Amino acid sequence: MGASFVPRLSEKRWDHHVERTLFERWQKEGIYEFKSTARDKPFIIDTPPPTTSGRWHIGAVAAYSQIDMIARSQRMLGKHVLFPIGFDRNGINVEIYVEKNSNVKMRDTPRERFIELCAEALDKLEAQIAEIMRSVGLSGDYVHKYRTDEESYRKFTQATFIELWKRGLIYETTRPNNYCHECGTTIADAEVEYEDLPSSLSYVRFKVRETGETLVIATTRPELICSCQLVIVNPTDERYTKLHGLHAILPIYGREVQIKAHPSARPDFGTGVVMICSYGDYTDVLLFRELGLTEILAAGPDGRLTSAAGPYQGLTMKEGRNRIIEDLTAQGLLEKRENIKHRTPICSRSNTPIEIIPMKEYYLKQVEFVPKLKQLATKMTFHPDTSRQILNDWINSISIDWPISRRRVYSTEIPVWFCKKCGTPLLPPPGKYYQPWKDQPPMAKCKECGFNEFAGETRTFDTWMDSSVSAMYISKYPTNSKFFKRSYPVSIRPQGKDIVRTWLHYSILRCYQLTKRAPFSHVWINGLGMDEQGQAMHKSKGNVVEPEPLLEKYGADAFRFWNASEATLGSDFRCSEMRIAGAHKFLTKLWNLSRFISSFPKPRSAKLQPSDKWILSELSLLVEKSSTGYRDFNFFIPATELRDFVWETFASHYLEMVKPRAYGQGFSTNEQRAAWYTLHTVLKTILLLLAPIMPFMPEHIWRELYSKRSIHSERLPKPAWAKTHKRYTQEIFAFNREVWKVKKDRNLALRDQIEIDVPRALAPFKEDLVKMHALVPKP
Ligand SMILES: [Zn+2]
Ligand SMILES: [Zn+2]
């Protein structure tokens, strides 16, 4: 190396602890600040407010990093970006967290006190998440952060309820629904998950009253026999045709029920004979409704058997099941038992099996909106396009309205009072935050009967009632109608595919009901974070990868570059230290070559040589491909294109070709300047293209070498260079690889001379190639 070439980047290695300094500098300079006074339509990201109810999963950190890539790339495309930092703080998750960590029971704790405990826990959890947000470099609006439990948000949720109630879209009724006794509340279908759990199928002997013969029924829920109101067989099942219209006698209880033919009986399950109970599953619910049967409730809200279960009253469902199996066995009424895997409905919050119990709840109409929802789904652009199907499948499965009330405490209160005399529900005017369980009633007289005493509603909303209107809240629907008009629908909704049936569906439903429009133009659905083997991460499996130590060890840029280059948009991605360490090698490479280039002057112009024209042709291609990825919000494309370009095309080939020229070894000053000019042009372009994905190292190099202004205030580059020389790429690659191989085979060092002729097709590059490989003509 010539003595005069000293790298301007003095540090031999990239120290990622510089990231924190840079982050603080951005905050001080306010470069991401959003000014709502600007006149243009802002690019608004309806950020998923993270649920503050536990540690932040690596998949969530990865998802937020990618949402930050949306914000950064859109800013560099010239958009005025609003990237809100919000926290979803309502709901069952935090209540369960507090019960576990403070060793209290929600139902045994005064409501005020329990709410305080939740708020304290949330503040701590939120601070942890905010810390990770900073350490991974999110460029959000930390100054105007919002929380779904703040007064203005809850007031807004309540106002939307009051409006939809007035318009007749909300009603209260009693109907069998999913009930989680662990959470003590009704939950929506969207929050029920199904797991194949080990269970046993009991073959129980019933008697046919008219003939006295034995009728065997296979059931996974023998404890529900007490609530059986009907026995069905399939009309096509010839084994049982003679039983149609006869009666079965229930074992243990001796009660008689009708035997009917009905198509919902599956001849291939068990014995083909099915008992219909209130309620084992949704088939039971439908048959009770269809046939007008009287329900007998076997399960109580406490998860225990009711008095209808006779001797088993007070036992949990599982205890009851075991006891009745013992009794049936003792009485010779159990033919056999088979171990099976049973598809069991589970509460997604508490992971416990749910029961179907009728409770009086508020419902928001959604069934009648299904055709409209399908139409709206076609109007939004999905990224990737295939993810629209997840939404369509869910919409097609909707069969009942959305139960929106919960028997919980840390959520937005339902703003209703009831007249103590006639029971009429009375709603206050919108515009205030109401807590009916403790506030004075805001009305003087019942509008129906004139009575003046009221009982406040004690229930709260399902948390999705709040988070489903986030697009309206962040576009300032409640407070700034001018801004709302120019900002809504918001630009993009990024989220995981695991909450399509909840957050995405409910947002479209609610915002449509309130605004008559879809809430966003683009929907961006990313995959889920899996472990190294591609398995879902679970505490119980011990395969959870914690993000903080990895961020500490490798820095945000490596973490983010790993995530962007790991999987294409929409696919699940694997998380492991090894993969992040792999991404870190790219940073080292980038640092080393930037440092090398930083030793050369930066001429403003130059007379380009063929090799320079070639790499700039490739650079134009890179810019085009990367921009396509950025415009489609698919960061896998720029990340992998940049990785390949930097390692291969640029570092392995071009850089080696022009090193002798850059050092001026036997070249004219003009030729040398052309190498310097091109090296800096390529580096600047790479830094700009990488900045949305890895915000720190490119920023550091940029400010050291090229500008006092932040790289994040720049625009993404345009493909400004002629692509005339891209036709040489394969030839150049092939020739260089061939020379390297021959030298290797002959145990020669790279700088050793070798007798090889430059092929005629590469004649324009002859001088660079001869110097690069120390070629000497064949004798
Ligand atoms: Zn639950
Ligand atoms: Zn009244």
Side-chain angles (χ1 to χ4, degrees):
M1 184 188 285
S4 57
F5 298 120
V6 178
R8 288 252 318 260
L9 296 174
S10 49
E11 306 87 351
K12 286 224 167 83
R13 285 168 202 282
W14 165 246
D15 172 13
H16 68 258
H17 295 97
V18 174
E19 292 180 352
R20 188 39 72 103
T21 319
L22 288 170
F23 187 87
E24 277 153 20
R25 187 167 176 185
W26 295 333
Q27 296 305 110
K28 220 182 280 161
E29 292 177 357
I31 61 168
Y32 308 123
E33 208 175 293
F34 177 78
K35 293 177 191 68
S36 60
T37 47
R39 290 257 187 86
D40 52 344
K41 179 175 165 67
F43 185 93
I44 300 185
I45 305 172
D46 188 12
T47 350
T51 313
T52 34
S53 58
R55 294 172 66 79
W56 225 14
H57 185 275
I58 188 168
V61 183
Y64 272 82
S65 306
Q66 293 227 0
I67 294 167
D68 186 54
M69 294 172 204
I70 297 179
R72 290 180 181 278
S73 54
Q74 289 298 316
R75 266 188 222 112
M76 291 182 78
L77 286 164
K79 299 274 174 53
H80 186 207
V81 174
L82 173 58
F83 176 14
I85 297 286
F87 294 94
D88 192 4
R89 307 193 357 146
N90 288 319
I92 295 176
N93 287 355
V94 69
E95 294 166 340
I96 293 177
Y97 177 88
V98 166
E99 287 193 327
K100 270 192 199 142
N101 289 276
S102 304
N103 200 21
V104 292
K105 283 270 158 245
M106 181 183 89
R107 311 234 178 249
D108 305 337
T109 312
R111 190 161 178 163
E112 300 261 14
R113 176 66 192 141
F114 194 76
I115 287 174
E116 265 174 33
L117 288 172
C118 288
E120 283 165 18
L122 285 164
D123 288 347
K124 281 189 198 142
L125 293 164
E126 183 188 301
Q128 282 171 15
I129 290 180
E131 176 52 30
I132 302 181
M133 287 176 158
R134 282 189 283 267
S135 58
V136 80
L138 298 195
S139 62
D141 187 353
Y142 295 86
V143 181
H144 305 103
K145 70 174 176 218
Y146 75 89
R147 297 161 162 164
T148 58
D149 64 346
E150 66 198 9
E151 189 177 317
S152 59
Y153 203 115
R154 286 189 168 174
K155 182 167 85 178
F156 174 48
T157 302
Q158 290 184 333
T160 65
F161 171 86
I162 293 164
E163 183 181 335
L164 297 180
W165 173 278
K166 280 187 195 149
R167 283 170 41 197
L169 295 182
I170 294 171
Y171 58 93
E172 203 189 6
T173 192
T174 304
R175 69 169 57 134
N177 214 325
N178 315 302
Y179 187 88
C180 172
H181 67 83
E182 186 68 33
C183 297
T185 187
T186 298
I187 57 171
D189 286 350
E191 290 182 295
V192 175
E193 277 160 15
Y194 288 85
E195 274 181 35
D196 283 323
L197 296 182
S199 173
S200 72
L201 191 58
S202 302
Y203 287 74
V204 182
R205 294 192 177 113
F206 288 53
K207 275 251 171 323
V208 178
R209 186 192 73 190
E210 287 82 354
T211 64
E213 70 190 288
T214 297
L215 180 63
V216 178
I217 300 182
T219 175
T220 56
R221 306 284 310 264
E223 74 279 15
L224 295 182
I225 289 175
C226 63
S227 69
C228 175
Q229 287 286 49
L230 183 70
V231 164
I232 60 168
V233 294
N234 195 287
T236 63
D237 192 341
E238 287 170 7
R239 292 174 291 177
Y240 303 115
T241 313
K242 59 182 189 312
L243 298 181
H244 296 179
L246 303 188
H247 293 80
I249 301 176
L250 308 180
I252 308 279
Y253 299 93
R255 190 161 51 81
E256 285 172 21
V257 300
Q258 230 190 358
I259 305 172
K260 262 196 169 138
H262 197 280
S264 12
R266 275 172 44 200
D268 60 338
F269 181 79
T271 58
V273 189
V274 183
M275 61 173 197
I276 303 301
C277 307
S278 43
Y279 291 100
D281 57 25
Y282 275 96
T283 310
D284 291 348
V285 175
L286 293 176
L287 281 171
F288 267 75
R289 205 176 291 161
E290 180 187 324
L291 304 172
L293 304 172
T294 309
E295 61 190 15
I296 299 173
L297 295 177
D302 55 359
R304 290 171 185 276
L305 287 158
T306 62
S307 58
Y312 312 110
Q313 180 182 2
L315 299 179
T316 66
M317 306 311 281
K318 206 173 167 188
E319 289 165 356
R321 189 173 316 149
N322 292 336
R323 283 275 303 278
I324 199 168
I325 287 172
E326 280 171 27
D327 292 350
L328 289 167
T329 311
Q331 295 175 36
L333 296 171
L334 189 73
E335 188 164 287
K336 61 171 174 172
R337 281 175 80 189
E338 279 172 4
N339 289 324
I340 56 161
K341 291 264 184 193
H342 185 58
R343 199 164 167 269
T344 312
I346 305 281
C347 166
S348 66
R349 306 272 179 185
S350 58
N351 277 320
T352 44
I354 57 143
E355 293 291 335
I356 298 167
I357 295 181
M359 298 286 257
K360 196 173 186 193
E361 303 291 0
Y362 293 92
Y363 284 83
L364 176 63
K365 289 185 183 174
Q366 63 175 356
V367 175
E368 65 188 60
F369 289 91
V370 162
K372 189 71 209 177
L373 293 171
K374 285 188 192 171
Q375 194 195 340
L376 291 172
T378 65
K379 291 197 172 146
M380 292 173 273
T381 310
F382 279 70
H383 307 265
D385 189 55
T386 47
S387 56
R388 183 187 281 106
Q389 198 51 43
I390 311 174
L391 178 64
N392 282 334
D393 289 346
W394 175 250
I395 296 174
N396 284 327
S397 77
I398 289 173
S399 62
I400 67 163
D401 291 332
W402 172 18
I404 54 172
S405 42
R406 298 288 179 271
R407 291 152 206 279
R408 306 292 303 185
V409 304
Y410 200 87
S411 282
T412 301
E413 288 87 351
I414 299 177
V416 174
W417 275 263
F418 295 93
C419 169
K420 278 192 178 169
K421 195 168 172 191
C422 72
T424 300
L426 301 161
L427 274 68
K432 270 173 79 174
Y433 171 44
Y434 298 102
Q435 295 183 286
W437 56 275
K438 70 170 197 187
D439 288 355
Q440 283 300 312
M443 56 281 295
K445 268 186 189 169
C446 170
K447 65 178 170 39
E448 293 299 320
C449 72
F451 195 63
N452 60 1
E453 282 181 38
F454 310 93
E457 175 61 78
T458 57
R459 284 170 292 173
T460 60
F461 287 121
D462 178 357
T463 55
W464 296 111
M465 275 291 279
D466 296 286
S467 46
S468 56
V469 289
S470 59
M472 293 170 69
Y473 190 74
I474 60 175
S475 54
K476 306 193 196 300
Y477 176 87
T479 53
N480 184 341
S481 61
K482 254 191 186 162
F483 183 82
F484 176 75
K485 274 196 191 110
R486 101 173 158 259
S487 312
Y488 184 91
V490 302
S491 312
I492 190 165
R493 155 60 67 83
Q495 62 162 75
K497 62 183 173 185
D498 52 332
I499 50 173
V500 166
R501 59 188 187 169
T502 46
W503 197 36
L504 182 60
H505 161 64
Y506 289 144
S507 297
I508 299 170
L509 172 75
R510 294 260 284 136
C511 294
Y512 173 75
Q513 289 175 337
L514 293 160
T515 69
K516 295 272 167 266
R517 291 159 82 187
F520 10 77
S521 313
H522 297 269
V523 177
W524 181 90
I525 307 285
N526 70 332
L528 305 176
M530 301 289 158
D531 75 359
E532 175 67 31
Q533 272 71 46
Q535 304 287 314
M537 284 187 241
H538 273 299
K539 261 192 206 138
S540 57
K541 284 201 235 164
N543 63 347
V544 174
V545 182
E546 297 283 354
E548 289 102 325
L550 295 171
L551 283 168
E552 176 55 36
K553 187 166 172 188
Y554 297 100
D557 274 356
F559 181 91
R560 295 167 60 120
F561 189 74
W562 152 70
N563 190 243
S565 55
E566 182 64 36
T568 194
L569 178 58
S571 305
D572 292 345
F573 51 92
R574 297 181 182 204
C575 309
S576 74
E577 172 159 2
M578 200 181 76
R579 284 159 189 272
I580 296 170
H584 190 261
K585 288 191 183 132
F586 175 75
L587 272 75
T588 305
K589 184 79 182 173
L590 181 67
W591 181 257
N592 290 342
L593 67 88
S594 304
R595 191 161 178 265
F596 168 72
I597 295 169
S598 80
S599 14
F600 302 113
K602 298 172 284 180
R604 285 180 169 270
S605 62
K607 190 170 181 317
L608 298 178
Q609 302 299 302
S611 305
D612 308 328
K613 288 181 181 167
W614 166 65
I615 195 66
L616 293 177
S617 298
E618 280 294 320
L619 191 64
S620 269
L621 271 181
L622 173 73
V623 170
E624 282 173 5
K625 288 181 193 162
S626 304
S627 304
T628 309
Y630 279 127
R631 282 175 213 285
D632 198 26
F633 316 109
N634 186 351
F635 309 107
F636 179 72
I637 295 172
T640 50
E641 291 291 342
L642 277 152
R643 186 185 58 200
D644 295 349
F645 178 87
V646 168
W647 278 109
E648 266 304 291
T649 316
F650 187 53
S652 298
H653 294 273
Y654 178 76
L655 210 70
E656 295 303 324
M657 281 161 77
V658 301
K659 253 185 198 166
R661 187 144 58 86
Y663 286 131
Q665 293 159 356
F667 288 88
S668 72
T669 312
N670 271 345
E671 288 166 334
Q672 186 181 28
R673 283 169 59 88
W676 295 344
Y677 172 86
T678 311
L679 286 170
H680 280 293
T681 302
V682 174
L683 178 58
K684 277 169 88 166
T685 308
I686 292 171
L687 296 176
L688 287 165
L689 287 175
L690 276 173
I693 296 172
M694 6 191 288
F696 293 105
M697 192 201 283
E699 166 81 333
H700 177 76
I701 300 171
W702 184 263
R703 295 226 201 198
E704 290 286 316
L705 301 186
Y706 300 122
S707 176
K708 289 201 161 44
R709 251 164 61 107
S710 168
I711 196 170
H712 301 293
S713 310
E714 302 289 334
R715 294 290 168 90
L716 281 175
K718 297 238 156 47
W721 308 277
K723 287 182 283 186
T724 46
H725 285 53
K726 73 179 165 82
R727 65 177 188 277
Y728 294 108
T729 303
Q730 290 318 314
E731 204 91 34
I732 291 172
F733 283 6
F735 178 70
N736 287 338
R737 284 175 187 148
E738 176 61 23
V739 178
W740 290 325
K741 185 173 179 296
V742 173
K743 285 193 175 180
K744 193 173 170 232
D745 291 348
R746 298 190 197 165
N747 270 325
L748 293 173
L750 284 175
R751 69 172 88 84
D752 288 345
Q753 291 195 340
I754 190 165
E755 288 170 1
I756 294 181
D757 289 330
V758 173
R760 197 190 282 165
L762 294 180
F765 308 91
K766 190 171 173 183
E767 266 191 280
D768 283 340
L769 292 172
V770 165
K771 285 271 164 36
M772 171 191 187
H773 294 297
L775 305 178
V776 290
K778 284 184 185 164

